[in-house]
Amino acid sequence: MQNGEWLTSAGIDIGTSTTKCVFSRLKIERQSGLSSLPQFHITERNVFYESRMHRTPLIGDSLIDLGQLERILASEYSRAGLMPDDIHTGAVIITGETAFKQQADVVLHSLAASAGEFVVAQAGGDLEAVLAGRGSGAEARSLHVKGQVVNVDIGGGTANAAFFEGGSCIRTLNFHIGGRLIMLERDGSITRISPSVLQWLKAAGFMMLREGEVAEIGRLRQLAERWSEMLLEGIHETVDWSKYPLIYGNPDSSKVRAETEIAEIWISGGVGALMELESPSDLAEAARFGDIGPLLASALRIAGTRYPVRLQAAPDAQRATVIGAGVHTAMLSGSTVFADRMLLPLRNVPLVRVTWHDQPGEELTGIELGVKEAFAEGKQKYGGAGTEACKFAVIVPHLSVCTYPLIRRIAAAAAASALHYQLEMAVIICENDIAKALGNCIHLITGGTLPCVCLDQVAVRHGDYVDIGEPVGEGYIPLAVKTLVFHS
C-alpha cells in the first residue's frame, strides 16, 4: 500500500423528519515506524455524492415504512452509480423520535444487510448528541477555545446537546423540543401533536393548541419562544434540571463543571439550517415545511441574543449527525492482549472513554470512580430496549505511572461494574500496554466467571465503534476502528 488505498464509504441518517445519505472516497495509508505495529489512517476524504433530503417514510405515527425506505436508498445508490457490494464501510443511524419507532432495530439491520457493511446504531439522545457534535465540528472547535463548546442538534423531535471541552465530550443533555412535534397546514390547521409534548402543553397553558384546530401565529410564536428559552436556560443551568419537564433521559449533575464557562453554542440539525433564513411573516411561511421548524429557528436566533455566549448555526448543519465513516486497522500482538477466543469475533462495539478525576499518577485516588462512571455511561447509552445484550467497550486512557496495584484497582472496578450491570462480557481497550495484565487480574478477581477481552496498542476515541476479529497467525488479533470522518 505504498500509494494508499481508496475505500468507498456510505453514510445514512434516518431522522424524525428527513432521511439523507452521502457517499465519499476515503484514502487509507500506512503510517508506522520501524519499531511500531502497522497502523492505517484516513488521509483524504472526498465527498462525491450527497442525496437530497427525503421525508422519512412512516406508516401512521409509529412504524417506519421499510419498503419505501429501501426504495429511496436504492434510487440514491443508482444515482451515485453504486451497488451495495461497492461499499467498504459506512454508518446507518436512526436518530430523533424515529429511534423509538417499534421496528427500528429490524430496519437498521435490514439496511445494513442490503446496503453494505455498516456501523449500525439505534441512536438515543446521548449518542446522537455526541455524533452530531463530532460531525458539526464542535468537538474539534473545543480544542481551540477557552471553555466549553456546546453543540445542540435540533431536528424534528428532539434537541440533543453535547458539551465539549478540550476535544472531549464531558456530558450530554436531551430535550423533547423539535420542529415536527407540532405539524401544520399552511392555513394554521394543526394536523398532529407529538405525544411527547401533549402533557407539557396542557400544563404550560397551551391548551388551545389541539389537533384539528386552527392555531394563531402569535400563539405559535409564544410556544417557540418558550421552548427556546427553556433550551438555553437548561444548557446554562448547573444543578437543578427538575424545573425543565421537557428534558428526558438521566442528566448527570455530577458531570457539570460549574467552574468552566460555556464559550460557544452551535445549533445543528434541520432547525440549525433554518436559523439563517428570514423570520416567517405569516402562517403560510411558518408552515411551509408542514411544521413549526421555521418559527422555532427564528425564536432561537432571537433568544440567543439575550445571552453573553455566542450562538451560531453549525456549518453543514443538516448533515452533522452522521454522513460517513472511516476505518483504520491495527494488528495487535498476542503477547499484549487477553481474550477469550469463544467471544470473538465482535462487531460494531461502541466505545466509552474513562475520565480521570485527578491527574494520572501513582496515587490516582479517583480511579475507581472514573471506571465505574464509564461503565454506567455505557449501560445507559447502549443498554436500551431492542438489544439482545448490552455490549460496549471501555477505553482506559494513558497512565503516566502504571504499577501492578494500579492495574488491579482498575480491574476490580471494571469487574464490579460489569457484574453489577449483568454484562455478558467486559471489553476493555487500554492506551498503555497493560491489556494482558488487566485481563488476568479480572479473571482472577472474578474466578473466571466474567468473560473478558482486553486489547491495547490502538488509537480509539469516545463514540467510535470497533470490530474485533478472531486471533490469526501466532495470536495476532485484527481490530477495525470505525470512526466518523467529517470535520474530525
Side-chain angles (χ1 to χ4, degrees):
M1 193 187 287
Q2 293 187 354
N3 298 320
E5 178 182 354
W6 287 91
L7 303 181
T8 301
S9 175
I12 300 171
D13 180 11
I14 305 166
T16 301
S17 304
T18 59
T19 291
K20 47 197 172 291
C21 64
V22 169
F23 299 107
S24 59
R25 307 288 187 195
L26 310 177
K27 188 175 185 180
I28 311 298
E29 292 185 311
R30 179 194 291 256
Q31 294 181 347
S32 59
L34 293 176
S35 62
S36 63
L37 296 173
Q39 293 189 351
F40 301 89
H41 299 274
I42 300 168
T43 58
E44 291 185 42
R45 313 167 175 86
N46 300 321
V47 175
F48 67 90
Y49 182 84
E50 183 172 357
S51 78
R52 68 178 179 86
M53 297 291 176
H54 296 271
R55 182 68 57 84
T56 298
L58 300 176
I59 301 173
D61 294 332
S62 60
L63 293 176
I64 298 172
D65 189 337
L66 179 56
Q68 181 61 21
L69 185 60
E70 289 178 335
R71 286 189 288 274
I72 288 172
L73 296 177
S75 69
E76 295 298 348
Y77 271 66
S78 177
R79 291 189 180 95
L82 294 171
M83 298 291 289
D85 289 345
D86 297 326
I87 305 300
H88 300 100
T89 186
V92 53
I93 304 287
I94 289 188
T95 58
E97 285 205 316
T98 52
F100 304 102
K101 301 304 179 185
Q102 293 177 15
Q103 87 289 29
D105 199 50
V106 174
V107 171
L108 285 166
H109 291 282
S110 174
L111 293 181
S114 64
E117 290 293 330
F118 288 100
V119 175
V120 179
Q122 181 171 322
D126 295 315
L127 177 58
E128 184 177 353
V130 173
L131 295 177
R134 179 173 295 174
S136 72
E139 178 188 64
R141 172 65 175 166
S142 71
L143 290 168
H144 304 289
V145 300
K146 183 178 180 180
Q148 299 175 16
V149 178
V150 183
N151 189 86
V152 191
D153 192 70
I154 311 177
T158 57
N160 303 300
F163 296 69
F164 294 95
E165 183 178 355
S168 297
C169 179
I170 59 175
R171 66 184 178 105
T172 58
L173 195 59
N174 308 298
F175 298 80
H176 283 301
I177 292 175
R180 295 186 70 79
L181 294 178
I182 297 181
M183 299 178 65
L184 303 169
E185 298 287 356
R186 295 176 72 88
D187 64 354
S189 300
I190 298 176
T191 58
R192 180 180 181 271
I193 297 177
S194 172
S196 62
V197 296
L198 276 174
Q199 185 175 352
W200 181 87
L201 288 173
K202 295 176 182 178
F206 290 93
M207 296 181 63
M208 73 294 300
L209 298 179
R210 294 189 294 267
E211 291 184 10
E213 300 288 336
V214 176
E216 296 180 357
I217 191 170
R219 201 60 173 148
L220 292 173
R221 288 190 195 278
Q222 290 176 2
L223 172 66
E225 290 166 3
R226 182 80 67 86
W227 281 359
S228 297
E229 289 292 344
M230 182 184 298
L231 180 64
L232 294 176
E233 287 176 11
I235 288 171
H236 285 86
E237 178 63 62
T238 58
V239 179
D240 184 13
W241 290 310
S242 62
K243 58 187 177 183
Y244 302 108
L246 290 182
I247 287 179
Y248 69 94
N250 299 292
D252 185 358
S253 60
S254 68
K255 290 193 175 182
V256 178
R257 301 181 184 180
E259 71 276 9
T260 306
E261 294 184 352
I262 295 173
E264 298 177 5
I265 298 176
W266 291 26
I267 310 296
S268 63
V271 170
L274 295 173
M275 285 183 60
E276 297 179 353
L277 302 180
E278 293 292 329
S279 299
S281 60
D282 54 32
L283 275 171
E285 287 187 10
R288 61 185 180 275
F289 299 115
D291 54 44
I292 64 168
L295 288 172
L296 182 56
S298 174
L300 191 59
R301 183 179 65 244
I302 295 170
T305 63
R306 296 192 285 271
Y307 288 81
V309 177
R310 180 186 177 193
L311 185 147
Q312 67 182 65
D316 298 321
Q318 277 194 292
R319 67 175 193 168
T321 302
V322 56
I323 56 176
V327 174
H328 73 269
T329 60
M331 298 301 294
L332 304 182
S333 170
S335 64
T336 62
V337 303
F338 181 98
D340 183 340
R341 289 173 178 258
M342 297 299 293
L343 302 178
L344 302 177
L346 295 172
R347 291 183 55 79
N348 297 322
V349 180
L351 302 179
V352 179
R353 188 177 183 86
V354 172
T355 299
W356 302 134
H357 289 271
D358 49 10
Q359 291 298 317
E362 208 160 338
E363 297 302 322
L364 201 62
T365 57
I367 193 168
E368 289 86 358
L369 178 60
V371 173
K372 290 178 180 179
E373 285 182 345
F375 273 89
E377 182 178 353
K379 175 64 175 178
Q380 178 185 345
K381 289 183 178 179
Y382 307 109
T387 57
E388 295 180 2
C390 179
K391 287 193 183 73
F392 58 89
V394 170
I395 306 167
V396 176
H398 178 77
L399 296 165
S400 56
V401 177
C402 200
T403 63
Y404 181 77
L406 201 59
I407 293 172
R408 190 171 177 86
R409 287 169 59 194
I410 296 173
S417 298
L419 293 174
H420 173 72
Y421 293 115
Q422 299 181 328
L423 304 182
E424 68 174 12
M425 69 182 71
V427 183
I428 302 174
I429 297 178
C430 311
E431 292 188 352
N432 293 81
D433 295 337
I434 61 172
K436 193 176 186 72
L438 182 63
N440 280 323
C441 282
I442 292 175
H443 181 80
L444 290 172
I445 289 170
T446 64
T449 60
L450 177 64
C452 182
V453 175
C454 291
L455 309 176
D456 54 24
Q457 297 187 21
V458 62
V460 290
R461 300 188 306 174
H462 183 97
D464 288 345
Y465 288 75
V466 293
D467 289 347
I468 304 171
E470 297 179 352
V472 296
E474 298 181 1
Y476 285 82
I477 294 180
L479 181 133
V481 181
K482 303 180 180 182
T483 178
L484 299 185
V485 299
F486 293 93
H487 306 293
S488 61

